Amino acid sequence: QVLKDESKLEMIFRHVGKLAEYWEEVKWVFSLIKDYTTGKYREVPWRTIAFLAASLAYVLAPFDLVPDFIPIVGWSDDCFALASALSFAKMDLDAYKTWKEAQEG
């Protein structure tokens, strides 16, 4: 489901200041999830894929710990969830980037 909402997530990330800094990494996450689900890249633990997808789904969720409509702090929990997922997956994501760039080069 998260893959289907990529354009919606892009809109959110580009227009919410706190999330905008993560957009380049999130594009890599989408690429990783797509290549994993199609079987092109399987050198990543499934739990990494699950954690990344769950964090993106959390950002999309209309209801979360701190409602997004609250000024200033509304997106803070979303940023925390995403930053945590990216930190957790850093080594796997870096390995994927290296693999992907080698495939394209």
Side-chain angles (χ1 to χ4, degrees):
Q1 180 62 37
V2 170
L3 292 177
K4 292 178 184 176
D5 291 330
E6 184 175 2
S7 61
K8 183 177 179 181
L9 270 171
E10 181 177 8
M11 184 186 73
I12 291 169
F13 275 82
R14 291 195 180 274
H15 293 97
V16 176
K18 292 180 180 183
L19 290 172
E21 66 187 81
Y22 296 111
W23 180 241
E24 289 303 314
E25 285 298 299
V26 170
K27 288 193 304 187
W28 279 107
V29 169
F30 271 105
S31 181
L32 170 61
I33 293 171
K34 287 176 186 174
D35 283 345
Y36 183 84
T37 58
T38 60
K40 292 180 184 174
Y41 184 78
R42 292 294 183 140
E43 301 301 314
V44 61
W46 67 268
R47 64 184 172 279
T48 297
I49 298 295
F51 197 43
L52 289 169
S55 71
L56 293 176
Y58 185 82
V59 172
L60 281 169
F63 302 104
D64 48 33
L65 293 176
V66 180
D68 297 336
F69 63 83
I70 297 176
I72 302 171
V73 298
W75 291 96
S76 61
D77 60 324
D78 299 83
C79 288
F80 177 76
L82 185 60
S84 296
L86 290 172
S87 177
F88 174 81
K90 181 170 180 18
M91 288 178 26
D92 292 323
L93 198 52
D94 287 346
Y96 171 72
K97 289 176 187 179
T98 300
W99 174 84
K100 187 72 170 182
E101 288 168 351
Q103 298 299 308
E104 293 173 352

